[in-house]
Structure formats: structure tokens, C-alpha cells
């Protein structure tokens, strides 16, 4: 007989109130212990289930109401600004009648959409303090960019001033400088890596002068990296989008709290199920009683972990799909199809969240958990009623002495 089999048999004997030689334990003591053990195990299992599901549901709400809409708004602002710049260049530089016509309503509409999108992203509560500050900087730069385009439009009859204004606005926006920015970032990373390698190599030396040189190299690498921080509007927006995508990825992943609480809840529920089965077996053999009341009280306690596991898994799958949907906005180019692509992604994300029935599962949890707690209390009350005809051992000794 294997050690595992012996351990399982020992666990079942304890659950069923039997000793190692197969004899039953005293009825009064067994029932009074189970009167406390069963509700305690049930409460622990239910509390852990509630903690695990609450963490998943809170992530669903944050992703649905904050993070995903904020990422959509940032993508909308980025593409609208690029399209506005294209429209400004078309009306003021590239058109046959450049300098003879105003910017037009299309440019103003695109700029208004970008401004409103930035405002919605700032009000979404999805950003950290540093990100909110960065977004305020971007909003200020957009105002300065709009002023420069307006200045170029006022001087549209003077080619030199008009072109200078449009080119300066394009430099502020960062339009057309993506490749240069990527090269700069790549060079900065290479310089940082080289500086770090040199610092690590020289730090192993025992001489004081070598240690100072390594520190200087590391400091130089940090200065190179800090000098390459994004400054243009589109670069700042792209960086904010990347940070939000990373945050959404964390929201859509299983958190350590959820996994730990779910594992502990499964263990507590399994122990509760074994204890209930053992108690029912004890009542059937010792009292010749099939306790429907005990089984009915234990049923909701055992059903709740299954329900919340199904609901939490469905919400988690919706989180991952929504994350992939909004993360794909990174690839949306600033062309005539951009507004439609962003609107489609937003609609799909909303549909995915709606199909996960998050609110329905939350309502189910709000009803099932109290019902299961009542069932756990019913288990204790049932065993208390069964134990009343059997006085405790101390009371028996008192009566015998009398």
C-alpha cells in the first residue's frame, strides 16, 4: 500500500469520525466539533472565493471603464493630429492655390477631435500622476502647435513666413521624424549598454581610480538616456500609449492575489466537502440517519466556488481579448481609414466586455455568497440539534458522581 493511499485513508477515517481500528468516535464530542469545524471551513472558503473573484472583477471594471477607453482616446488624438498636419500642409504648401485659401473646416475639426480626445484621456482616471502631468504637457504643446499653424495661416500670402510656420509646427508635432527618433533611441540604448558594460568591468578592479572611472561612465550613460527622452508631441503620445498598453497587459493577466486566493479557496472547499461527506457517513452509520438538512446546507457552499470560478474565467478571457483589441491600435496609420479603424476597435472592445456578462456575474456573486453563508450556518445549527440528545462527557461524569 502506497504512502499516498494510506494518507487518504487516514484523512477519510478522521472525516468520518473513526479511529485507526475502525471504531466510531464518541457521538457527542464528534458532533460538537463538526458543529464548529464545518461553518469555519465554509466561511474561509467563501471569503477566499470572494477575494479572488473581487480582484478579477475589479480588473474588468478598470479595463472596461478606464484603461481601454483611455488608450482609444490617445490613438484618436495621435491620428487626428497627424491628419491635421497633413491637411495644413496640403492647404498651405502643396495645393495649387497654396497661400490663397484658408485652412478650412476639416483641419479645425481634426484639431478639435484631438483636443477632445486628450481631455477624455485625462479624465479617464486610467493614468498615474506622472502620466497625467505628461498629458497636460502634451495638451499645452498642442495649443502651441495650433497657434503656430494659425500664425502660418495668417501669413499665407508670404511664402517664406508661411513655410517657416508650417515647418516649425511639423517639428513640434514630430511629423515625419519617427525614423530619426527610432534611430536616436537605438543609439541611446547602445550607448547605455556600452557604458554599463564598461562600468561593470571597471568596478571589479580594486583600484580607487578605476572605480571612479566606472562611476563616471555609468553616469554618462544615464545622461545619454535622459537626453533622448521624447520631446515632440507624437513621440510623447506614443510613449503614453506604450505605457498604457503595458498597464492593460498587467490588468489582463492573472494576478498573484487571484491565483493565491483561488488555490487556497479550492483547498478549503475540498476540505469542507470531505468533512461534510465524512459527517454524513458518520450520521448514517452511528445514528442511522440520512441528513437532508446537512446536505442542503452544504450544497450552496460547494456551488459558489464553481460559479465564481466560471464567472472569473469568463471575465478574464474577455480582459485578454479586449487587451489584444485595443493594443492593435498601435498599428493604425494616420490615413483616411484611421477613424473607422479606431471606432471599430472600440466597438469590438465594448461588445467583448458586454458579452462577458460581468455585471451579471457580480450580481450572482452578491446573491450566492450570502446564501452560502446562510447554508454554512445551517450546517452548524443542524449538527447542534443532532447533538442535543447526547450530553457531553463532563456532564455524564457529574451525573455518575451524584
Amino acid at each position: 500500500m502506497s504512502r499516498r493511499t494510506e494518507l487518504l485513508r487516514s484523512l477519510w477515517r478522521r472525516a468520518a469520525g473513526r479511529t485507526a481500528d475502525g471504531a466510531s468516535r464518541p457521538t457527542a464530542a464528534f458532533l460538537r466539533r463538526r458543529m464548529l469545524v464545518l461553518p469555519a471551513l465554509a466561511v474561509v472558503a467563501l471569503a477566499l472565493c470572494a477575494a479572488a473573484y473581487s480582484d478579477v472583477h475589479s480588473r474588468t471594471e478598470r479595463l472596461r471603464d478606464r484603461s481601454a477607453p483611455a488608450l482609444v482616446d490617445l490613438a484618436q488624438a495621435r491620428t487626428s493630429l497627424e491628419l491635421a498636419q497633413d491637411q495644413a500642409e496640403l492647404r498651405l504648401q502643396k495645393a495649387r492655390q497654396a497661400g490663397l485659401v484658408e485652412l478650412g473646416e476639416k483641419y479645425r475639426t481634426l484639431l478639435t477631435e484631438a483636443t477632445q480626445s486628450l481631455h477624455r484621456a485625462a479624465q479617464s482616471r486610467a493614468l498615474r500622476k506622472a502620466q497625467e502631468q505628461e498629458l497636460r504637457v502634451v495638451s499645452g504643446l498642442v495649443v502651441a502647435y495650433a497657434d503656430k499653424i494659425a500664425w502660418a495661416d495668417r501669413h499665407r500670402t508670404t511664402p517664406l513666413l508661411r513655410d517657416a510656420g508650417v515647418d516649425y509646427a511639423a517639428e513640434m508635432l514630430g511629423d515625419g521624424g519617427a525614423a530619426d527618433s527610432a534611430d536616436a533611441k537605438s543609439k541611446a540604448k547602445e550607448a547605455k549598454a556600452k557604458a554599463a558594460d564598461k562600468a561593470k568591468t571597471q568596478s571589479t578592479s580594486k583600484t580607487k581610480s578605476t572605480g571612479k572611472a566606472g562611476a563616471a561612465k555609468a553616469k554618462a550613460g544615464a545622461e545619454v538616456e535622459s537626453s533622448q527622452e521624447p520631446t515632440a508631441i507624437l513621440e510623447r503620445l506614443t510613449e503614453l500609449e506604450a505605457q498604457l498598453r503595458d498597464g492593460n497587459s498587467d490588468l489582463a493577466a492573472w494576478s498573484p492575489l487571484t491565483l493565491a486566493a483561488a488555490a487556497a479557496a479550492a483547498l478549503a472547499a475540498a476540505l469542507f466537502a470531505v468533512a461534510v461527506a465524512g459527517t454524513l457517513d458518520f450520521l448514517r452509520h452511528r445514528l442511522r440517519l440520512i441528513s437532508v438538512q446537512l446536505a442542503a446546507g452544504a450544497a450552496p457552499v460547494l456551488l459558489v466556488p464553481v460559479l465564481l470560478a466560471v464567472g472569473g474565467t469568463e471575465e478574464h478571457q474577455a480582459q485578454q481579448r479586449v487587451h489584444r483589441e485595443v493594443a492593435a491600435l498601435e498599428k493604425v496609420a494616420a490615413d483616411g481609414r484611421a477613424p473607422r479603424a479606431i471606432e471599430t476597435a472600440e466597438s469590438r472592445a465594448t461588445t467583448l466586455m458586454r458579452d462577458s456578462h460581468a455585471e451579471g456575474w457580480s450580481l450572482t456573486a452578491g446573491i450566492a455568497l450570502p446564501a452560502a453563508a446562510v447554508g454554512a450556518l445551517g450546517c452548524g445549527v443542524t449538527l447542534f440539534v443532532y447533538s442535543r440528545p447526547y450530553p457531553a462527557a463532563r456532564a455524564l461524569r457529574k451525573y455518575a458522581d451524584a
Side-chain angles (χ1 to χ4, degrees):
M1 184 182 300
S2 64
R3 186 174 181 180
R4 180 179 300 179
T5 304
E6 180 61 29
L7 180 62
L8 293 176
R9 289 187 176 182
S10 176
L11 177 62
W12 173 248
R13 286 196 301 267
R14 178 173 289 274
R18 297 174 186 170
T19 60
D21 56 0
S24 297
R25 297 182 184 275
T27 302
F30 178 83
L31 292 178
R32 283 175 171 78
R33 281 197 298 267
R34 290 302 164 90
M35 180 180 65
L36 300 176
V37 170
L38 290 184
L41 283 175
V43 169
V44 170
L46 293 175
L48 291 171
C49 287
Y53 175 75
S54 177
D55 184 59
V56 174
H57 186 68
S58 65
R59 289 167 175 266
T60 299
E61 291 180 334
R62 288 164 58 191
L63 188 63
R64 178 192 62 197
D65 301 334
R66 302 182 186 182
S67 297
L71 192 54
V72 170
D73 289 331
L74 289 180
Q76 180 68 54
R78 170 175 54 82
T79 55
S80 296
L81 286 172
E82 291 187 70
L83 291 173
Q85 176 63 22
D86 293 341
Q87 188 67 18
E89 292 177 355
L90 176 64
R91 305 279 289 191
L92 298 177
Q93 289 182 326
K94 299 178 182 179
R96 288 185 178 182
Q97 298 179 343
L100 302 179
V101 294
E102 295 182 354
L103 285 173
E105 289 300 322
K106 187 174 183 180
Y107 164 81
R108 295 184 178 89
T109 300
L110 290 169
L111 190 62
T112 301
E113 288 178 355
T115 303
Q116 292 176 347
S117 297
L118 291 175
H119 178 72
R120 287 195 300 269
Q123 298 296 321
S124 65
R125 297 182 299 168
L127 305 177
R128 300 190 299 271
K129 291 295 184 182
Q131 293 172 335
E132 290 179 356
Q133 183 177 0
E134 180 70 8
L135 194 58
R136 285 195 292 268
V137 172
V138 170
S139 298
L141 290 175
V142 169
V143 173
Y145 163 81
D147 291 342
K148 187 56 66 176
I149 291 293
W151 182 85
D153 185 47
R154 289 194 301 270
H155 296 83
R156 59 181 177 274
T157 57
T158 306
L160 182 61
L161 296 180
R162 180 187 68 214
D163 293 342
V166 174
D167 293 342
Y168 185 79
E171 184 179 353
M172 289 181 59
L173 188 64
D175 188 44
D180 296 337
S181 177
D183 292 339
K185 289 182 179 180
S186 177
K187 291 179 180 179
K189 288 182 179 180
E190 292 178 0
K192 180 185 176 183
K194 291 180 180 179
D197 291 340
K198 289 182 180 180
K200 184 177 180 180
T201 301
Q202 294 182 3
S203 64
T204 57
S205 175
K206 296 182 180 180
T207 61
K208 185 176 181 180
S209 60
T210 306
K212 290 182 179 180
K217 292 292 183 180
K219 184 178 180 180
E223 291 176 353
V224 169
E225 182 188 19
S226 62
S227 65
Q228 298 299 331
E229 291 181 354
T231 55
I233 296 174
L234 293 181
E235 291 177 354
R236 291 174 181 269
L237 284 177
T238 302
E239 181 65 23
L240 281 174
E241 285 186 80
Q243 293 176 7
L244 271 183
R245 280 194 301 273
D246 293 340
N248 289 350
S249 178
D250 293 338
L251 285 177
W254 289 113
S255 71
L257 172 61
T258 301
L259 294 176
L267 178 60
L271 291 175
F272 176 79
V274 173
V276 168
T279 305
L280 290 173
D281 183 76
F282 180 88
L283 293 174
R284 186 170 61 88
H285 285 86
R286 190 65 183 264
L287 304 183
R288 301 297 187 265
L289 174 65
I290 297 178
S291 179
V292 179
Q293 297 89 338
L294 182 61
V301 179
L302 297 175
L303 184 61
V304 164
V306 178
L307 285 175
L308 296 189
V310 173
T313 302
E314 187 173 353
E315 289 191 34
H316 175 69
Q317 291 175 350
Q319 293 170 9
Q320 291 182 320
R321 296 192 187 101
V322 169
H323 165 60
R324 288 193 295 266
E325 194 68 41
V326 296
L329 293 175
E330 177 188 11
K331 302 177 182 178
V332 174
D335 52 27
R337 296 170 295 180
R340 180 63 177 173
I342 294 175
E343 182 181 354
T344 301
E346 183 180 13
S347 177
R348 288 177 179 173
T350 303
T351 301
L352 287 170
M353 278 301 183
R354 183 176 63 249
D355 292 343
S356 69
H357 309 292
E359 296 303 326
W361 284 115
S362 177
L363 179 62
T364 300
I367 296 174
L369 285 169
V374 172
L377 180 62
C379 291
V381 172
T382 299
L383 293 177
F384 172 74
V385 172
Y386 291 161
S387 66
R388 290 186 65 185
Y390 302 94
R394 182 178 300 176
L396 289 176
R397 287 196 300 269
K398 181 178 179 181
Y399 294 149
D401 296 338

